[in-house]
Amino acid sequence: MKKETNEQERLNQMIGRNIKFYREIYNIKNTGKEKMTQALLAKKVGVSTPLIGSLESANSSQGISVYNLYKISKVLGVPIEKFYETPVIEQVGNELKITS
């Protein structure tokens, strides 16, 4: 049971990192448009801003429903399966870096 919990926590953290990553990529691709903040993403998806913040936090293992993840994927223009992939690029401070 403990192993399953750890796997679930790691999956939730990976999804959260990917939400943050693809939100920031959205901002890079859409310069000149309104910046996709956590608050704006939350509003467009119909969830609370603290939920998005908790999902994106590196220290959180907050889960998300598949339906809300689907709505996030539509808002950010990212196929939903991308949120389940191990990221090859992570944000470090204010910069994006490629990880192996």
Side-chain angles (χ1 to χ4, degrees), residues 68-81:
N68 283 335
L69 187 58
Y70 169 78
K71 291 190 294 184
I72 289 171
S73 78
K74 291 299 180 193
V75 169
L76 297 179
V78 176
I80 194 169
E81 62 269 14

Side-chain angles (χ1 to χ4, degrees), residues 6-17:
N6 288 338
E7 287 175 2
Q8 183 177 6
E9 286 176 2
R10 283 194 304 272
L11 178 63
N12 290 341
Q13 288 170 348
M14 180 173 58
I15 290 170
R17 281 194 309 269

